[in-house]
Amino acid sequence: MDETVAEFIKRTILKIPLNELTTILKAWDFLSENQLQTVNFRQRKESVVQHLIHLCEEKRASLNDAALLDIIYTQFHQHQKVWDVFQMSKGPGEDVDLFDMKQFKNSFKKILQRALKNVTVSFRETEENAVWIRIAWGTQYTKPNQYKPTYVVYYSQTPYAFKSSSTLRRNTPLLGQTFETHNSATPLQERSLGLDINMDSRIIHENIVEKERVQRITQETFGDYPQPQLEFAQYKLETKFKSDLNGSILAEREEPLRCLIKFSSPHLLEALKSLAPAGIADAPLSPLLTCIPNKRKNYFKIRDK
């Protein structure tokens, strides 16, 4: 197994919370049940990862195998991504095509690879008649970056496709043209990105400038790499009551007020990283949250200065 593939699989497994690891590995279906039974999932995660990498090396895992594992992880955590919804439409008088999944995948991959030399495309079909497409982009002179992919979810014989937001916006028109060429449909993308689209009037596209600002701040704060595994962070607040009103019972209290706040998640840092892009929180997040990796601790005491 190539070293880059081993590193790719290692990084993906490290992202997976321990309580989901067995489920995702079984869905991957690359390692057999007997092989998984040889792994002690109760030991430290670093040891689990090393054992799994060894098993993948024995089976000579390919880049496509690693990409499929990443797709499955993304399917489990699709709520952490921001998705753009697009509508394609046939030209006047054109009938709906009978959908052939094999032909679609071959055509989609060939069109992209003709347009861009260095690109890897992986597919995974689901029971909902959808195909998940993972695209790792390179340039004419650089290999595909497996850690900044674009995901597309396409439901066969429907006019809708869902694309994950990506910092590599220069490739968005190429992706739209690929759908256009395969489907003989109107181009797939918003007008603000330089292409035409017949958007459903009920779909409201969020402010592009604000989304780019949030993505930039999130990238500057958390980086492009997977976040360290952390399941909780605890904050203990101690502060004296302050008020302009005299005679308050709390104002006479000498002991500080104490409050304990705990954030918990199977992958807390990844969850925090996704808050602003998902529109749940404003960017930038509070330094009390973003300082966790730099301070290398998850217990904090907040006191009056």
Side-chain angles (χ1 to χ4, degrees):
M1 183 171 65
D2 189 89
E3 288 184 5
T4 57
V5 175
E7 180 65 20
F8 184 10
I9 294 176
K10 178 181 177 181
R11 290 198 192 186
T12 303
I13 296 175
L14 285 172
K15 291 191 297 184
I16 304 173
L18 272 174
N19 62 331
E20 296 177 1
L21 187 53
T22 304
T23 304
I24 290 179
L25 289 173
K26 287 181 178 179
W28 187 28
D29 199 28
F30 177 73
L31 299 174
S32 68
E33 186 70 30
N34 290 336
Q35 286 177 309
L36 291 177
Q37 288 177 357
T38 66
V39 182
N40 179 9
F41 289 97
R42 295 183 178 180
Q43 60 185 332
R44 293 180 58 190
K45 191 167 186 181
E46 291 78 4
S47 302
V48 175
V49 172
Q50 289 178 1
H51 194 164
L52 290 171
I53 293 298
H54 177 69
L55 294 175
C56 291
E57 287 176 342
E58 288 182 345
K59 288 201 69 174
R60 297 184 179 180
S62 66
L63 181 59
N64 189 62
D65 294 322
L68 286 176
L69 178 61
D70 181 65
I71 290 176
I72 294 169
Y73 167 80
T74 304
Q75 288 176 317
F76 271 72
H77 295 271
Q78 55 188 277
H79 59 282
Q80 295 180 353
K81 292 194 171 293
V82 178
W83 298 89
D84 293 322
V85 186
F86 302 102
Q87 181 183 22
M88 298 168 287
S89 62
K90 287 288 184 181
E94 290 185 338
D95 296 327
V96 177
D97 296 331
L98 293 175
F99 188 81
D100 185 319
M101 182 65 75
K102 184 177 181 180
Q103 180 185 2
F104 169 79
K105 291 193 291 187
N106 288 337
S107 173
F108 191 95
K109 192 171 184 177
K110 286 180 181 178
I111 293 168
L112 272 183
Q113 290 177 337
R114 279 201 301 265
L116 187 62
K117 177 182 178 183
N118 290 314
V119 62
T120 57
V121 186
S122 303
F123 303 89
R124 186 172 191 264
E125 299 174 42
T126 69
E127 296 177 355
E128 298 84 12
N129 292 323
V131 56
W132 279 67
I133 310 169
R134 182 186 188 277
I135 307 162
W137 306 94
T139 68
Q140 297 297 335
Y141 309 103
T142 60
K143 293 182 178 180
N145 185 344
Q146 298 298 332
Y147 305 108
K148 290 185 178 181
T150 298
Y151 302 93
V152 178
V153 186
Y154 178 54
Y155 288 83
S156 62
Q157 292 189 317
T158 74
Y160 296 105
F162 303 83
K163 183 187 76 67
S164 64
S165 294
S166 172
T167 55
L168 300 175
R169 292 188 175 275
R170 65 178 180 273
N171 294 316
T172 302
L174 177 57
L175 183 59
Q177 291 164 13
T178 304
F179 268 100
E180 177 189 3
T181 303
H182 177 80
N183 292 288
S184 300
T186 39
L188 171 76
Q189 200 38 271
E190 298 103 335
R191 189 174 293 108
S192 59
L193 293 180
L195 291 173
D196 296 324
I197 181 171
N198 292 328
M199 290 284 292
D200 190 314
S201 60
R202 295 169 296 178
I203 299 173
I204 301 173
H205 189 77
E206 299 172 25
N207 186 286
I208 291 291
V209 175
E210 175 62 14
K211 288 178 69 175
E212 291 178 344
R213 184 189 74 85
V214 171
Q215 290 284 1
R216 186 184 71 254
I217 292 175
T218 302
Q219 183 175 348
E220 291 172 353
T221 304
F222 292 95
D224 296 330
Y225 43 83
Q227 299 302 300
Q229 181 79 31
L230 185 67
E231 295 188 354
F232 75 93
Q234 185 170 294
Y235 297 82
K236 187 175 182 180
L237 173 64
E238 293 185 1
T239 182
K240 287 195 173 183
F241 181 79
K242 301 177 181 67
S243 174
D244 296 331
L245 300 176
N246 295 324
S248 169
I249 297 175
L250 290 175
E252 297 174 358
R253 177 188 172 102
E254 294 184 2
E255 283 290 312
L257 299 174
R258 294 180 175 88
C259 176
L260 183 66
I261 301 173
K262 184 176 181 179
F263 296 90
S264 60
S265 169
H267 206 320
L268 179 62
L269 295 180
E270 285 290 347
L272 293 175
K273 183 178 179 180
S274 68
L275 287 178
I280 299 173
D282 293 332
L285 296 178
S286 167
L288 291 172
L289 297 174
T290 58
C291 72
I292 294 174
N294 293 332
K295 291 188 177 292
R296 297 182 181 179
K297 63 178 184 178
N298 59 343
Y299 287 90
F300 298 89
K301 275 191 175 183
I302 306 171
R303 294 172 174 163
D304 292 330
K305 293 183 179 179

